[in-house]
């Protein structure tokens, strides 16, 4: 085990070192939050794949394979499908908007009148995503070092907070690229072939397991449909995913690089399900499907390789955790705190704040201003990171908490966001009404049917869609000057300053 420990400790130290190196590149708000919008295809593809394939896709994907066979791949499949749809149909337009948050996109599209409600919903989603990933450290570090739950959470969370705070998105990008490489080698090149070989190959697994384990829909058609609604659509609108799209240096990189990452997700899905199926053949009586990953790693892999594969699992969790953390801090800073500050500062006859909220980013800004912006965002990451660690230690049932967050995200924000991208008749009133009605419907149906039921997302999406269409058609159309600024920005041009320019956006 000393060799395995050395591999893992070296990996963790390397993450801190890469984070420190990334700090040298984070010299402005754009550098800190979106890596200067300069990522090429290799970095973009690797980091996008790293953030969407977290602990749920790795440890959870193997667990689903253990429970349902090859059809356990559907969870990660739907993540891959969502990333492919985002990359092929929306990423180019999103990249050209030159904003930092989903809420700023809503402001730009609907005329600067998007409510703080959208920011609060997105903040809750990213916070719970970060909490879920952080709690996963307890499982991994317990397997590796036998640490207490609270200590494991503090250790894993502390490392992620440290490198995220140092260099922001640059540090996260560089660490994610390392994590992508470790994850690819550990899971695809080492664990998958060894697990299948130990189980006797496909023929050997077929002899030991029921035929259902090789049926494509053993997990259930309704479960697949719900995964599509929650995870595929969640990929289309999540701040953690959009913030990666904003890092691409061109819309071509966003489209093609994201497509490569989406295809990688499909391969990863099959690998996880196959490992889980092999684990079922080898260890048919495990207490929990979630124990399948640690069991097969501990028993089937040789010394040294075991440490690398456990580092791969740690990589999966850390990449999602750091991405969710910076997304949470970005929303808290740009969509909530800045709005509160602007509201408090409203003065003058117009009764409205400056169009850019005093944080307009240009090449002529003084270095002192840029350093202040970076320092301010570092503070938000520290505060949000501390909150995530505390909540992770206190919270036990994260599945229900994350389900609530995903249901509110998709039920409340999917229609206003996608409606804004594809339907020019949508209005600010319609978008806000759809967010409120969809969110309230989701909460009401969860109270009625249960948090883990499928119905809340069905009814929430339907209510949000109907509300957006009806209210938008009954309300005054969005002003032509706002739509003109929106079309200019979608085309990659500079939108004029005014109510349609979201706070913190780059306008040239």
């Amino acid at each position: 085990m000393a060799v395995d420990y050395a591999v893992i400790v070296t990996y963790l130290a390397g993450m801190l070192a890469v984070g420190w190196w990334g700090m040298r590149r984070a010299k402005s708000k754009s550098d800190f939050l979106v890596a200067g919008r300069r990522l090429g295809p290799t970095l973009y593809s690797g980091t996008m794949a790293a953030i969407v394939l977290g602990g749920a896709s790795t440890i959870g994907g193997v667990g689903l394979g253990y429970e349902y066979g090859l059809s356990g791949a559907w969870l990660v499949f739907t993540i891959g499908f969502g990333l492919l749809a985002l990359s092929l149909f929306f990423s180019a337009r999103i990249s050209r908007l030159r904003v930092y948050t989903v809420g700023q996109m809503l402001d730009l599209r609907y005329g600067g009148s998007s409510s703080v409600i959208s920011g609060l919903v997105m903040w809750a989603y990213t916070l719970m995503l970060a909490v879920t990933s952080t709690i996963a450290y307890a499982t991994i570090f317990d397997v590796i070092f036998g640490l207490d739950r609270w200590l494991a959470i503090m250790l894993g969370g502390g490392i992620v907070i440290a490198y995220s705070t140092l260099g922001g998105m640059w540090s996260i990008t560089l660490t994610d690229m390392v994590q992508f490489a470790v994850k690819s080698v550990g899971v695809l090149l080492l664990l998958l072939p060894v697990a299948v070989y130990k189980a006797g190959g496909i023929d050997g697994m077929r002899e030991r397991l029921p035929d259902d384990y090789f049926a494509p829909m053993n997990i259930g058609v309704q479960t697949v449909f719900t995964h599509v609604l929650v995870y595929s659509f969640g990929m289309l609108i999540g701040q953690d995913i959009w913030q990666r799209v904003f890092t691409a240096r061109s819309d071509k990189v966003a489209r093609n690089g994201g497509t490569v990452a989406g295809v990688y997700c499909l391969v990863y899905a099959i690998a996880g399900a196959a490992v889980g199926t092999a684990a079922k053949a080898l260890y048919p009586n495990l207490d929990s499907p979630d124990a399948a990953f640690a069991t097969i790693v501990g028993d089937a892999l040789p010394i040294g390789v075991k440490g690398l594969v456990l580092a791969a699992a740690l990589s999966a969790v850390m990449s999602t955790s750091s991405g969710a953390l910076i997304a949470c801090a970005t929303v808290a800073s740009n969509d909530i705190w800045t709005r509160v500050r602007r509201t408090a500062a409203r003065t003058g006859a117009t009764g409205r704040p400056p169009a850019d909220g005093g944080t307009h980013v240009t090449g002529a800004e003084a270095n002192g201003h840029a350093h202040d912006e970076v320092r301010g965002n570092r503070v938000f990451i520290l505060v949000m990171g501390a909150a995530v660690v505390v909540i992770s230690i206190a919270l036990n049932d994260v599945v229900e908490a994350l389900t609530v967050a995903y249901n509110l995200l998709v039920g409340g924000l999917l229609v206003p966001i996608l409606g804004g991208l594809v339907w020019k008749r949508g209005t600010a009133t319609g978008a806000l009404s759809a967010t409120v009605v969809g969110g309230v419907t989701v909460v009401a149906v969860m109270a009625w049917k249960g948090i883990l039921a499928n119905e809340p997302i069905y009814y929430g999406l339907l209510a949000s869609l109907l509300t957006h269409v009806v209210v938008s058609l009954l309300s005054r159309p969005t002003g032509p000057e706002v739509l003109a600024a929106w079309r200019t920005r979608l085309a990659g041009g500079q939108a004029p300053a005014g109510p349609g320019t979201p706070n913190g956006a780059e306008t040239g």
Side-chain angles (χ1 to χ4, degrees), residues 76-107:
V76 186
F77 268 156
T78 57
I79 292 173
F81 293 151
L83 184 53
L84 285 171
L86 174 72
S87 302
L88 293 172
F89 301 116
F90 300 107
S91 63
R93 281 179 282 180
I94 293 170
S95 177
R96 289 193 292 263
L97 290 176
R98 311 287 291 181
V99 294
Y100 294 111
T101 69
V102 175
Q104 290 173 350
M105 168 264 168
L106 292 171
D107 276 355

Side-chain angles (χ1 to χ4, degrees), residues 217-468:
M217 285 294 174
N218 185 41
I219 196 171
V221 174
Q222 187 179 28
T223 299
V224 173
F225 181 63
T226 303
H227 284 345
V228 170
L229 289 183
V230 175
Y231 298 109
S232 294
F233 286 157
M235 288 293 106
L236 298 180
I237 60 174
Q239 169 67 26
D240 51 325
I241 310 302
W242 276 42
Q243 200 156 340
R244 294 310 173 98
V245 176
F246 300 151
T247 65
R249 72 181 178 206
S250 68
D251 52 9
K252 183 177 180 181
V253 168
R255 181 174 57 250
N256 295 341
T259 301
V260 171
V263 172
Y264 179 89
C265 289
L266 304 183
V267 175
Y268 201 84
I270 296 172
V275 170
T277 304
K280 182 67 174 180
L282 292 169
Y283 319 104
N285 299 314
L286 293 179
D287 293 335
S288 168
D290 288 337
F293 182 90
T295 301
I296 198 166
V297 168
D299 290 352
L301 297 180
I303 294 173
V305 174
K306 184 188 305 182
L308 184 58
V309 174
L310 287 173
L314 199 55
S315 296
V317 175
M318 292 179 83
S319 57
T320 300
S321 180
S322 59
L325 176 59
I326 195 171
C328 179
T330 302
V331 171
S333 174
N334 290 270
D335 286 351
I336 299 175
W337 170 246
T338 300
R339 289 173 188 269
V340 171
R341 189 178 60 185
R342 289 171 67 192
T343 300
R346 283 181 177 173
T347 58
T350 60
R352 67 173 53 168
D356 64 358
T359 59
H360 177 66
V361 180
T362 70
E365 283 184 314
N367 287 335
H369 186 198
H371 290 318
D372 287 343
E373 288 188 319
V374 172
R375 184 164 54 247
N377 281 286
R378 281 199 175 108
V379 170
F380 269 95
I381 288 183
L382 278 173
V383 172
M384 292 298 106
V388 165
V389 169
V390 170
I391 295 171
S392 300
I393 293 173
L395 199 60
N396 289 320
D397 194 346
V398 295
V399 174
E400 291 194 354
L402 189 62
T403 300
V404 171
Y406 261 108
N407 283 348
L408 285 173
L409 173 73
V410 176
L413 291 181
L414 178 71
V415 171
I417 293 170
L418 295 190
L421 289 171
V422 303
W423 189 39
K424 67 179 181 180
R425 185 59 181 84
T427 67
T429 305
L432 178 58
S433 300
T435 300
V436 174
V437 171
V440 170
T441 301
V442 162
V443 172
V445 179
M446 283 192 295
W448 173 35
K449 292 286 189 178
I451 291 177
L452 300 180
N454 293 320
E455 288 84 356
I457 194 65
Y458 302 161
Y459 289 115
L461 272 176
L462 180 60
S464 181
L465 177 61
L466 292 175
T467 301
H468 186 58

Side-chain angles (χ1 to χ4, degrees), residues 22-100:
M23 181 177 64
R24 300 163 55 190
R25 310 193 67 169
K27 298 179 180 178
S28 68
K29 179 179 179 179
S30 179
D31 289 333
F32 193 83
L33 294 182
V34 290
R37 307 187 194 272
R38 296 200 299 271
L39 297 194
T42 301
L43 277 178
Y44 181 85
S45 298
T47 58
M48 180 63 87
I51 189 176
V52 300
L53 295 174
S57 302
T58 304
I59 300 172
V62 171
L64 288 171
Y66 184 89
E67 188 172 4
Y68 299 105
L70 296 183
S71 70
W74 273 108
L75 172 65
V76 186
F77 268 156
T78 57
I79 292 173
F81 293 151
L83 184 53
L84 285 171
L86 174 72
S87 302
L88 293 172
F89 301 116
F90 300 107
S91 63
R93 281 179 282 180
I94 293 170
S95 177
R96 289 193 292 263
L97 290 176
R98 311 287 291 181
V99 294
Y100 294 111

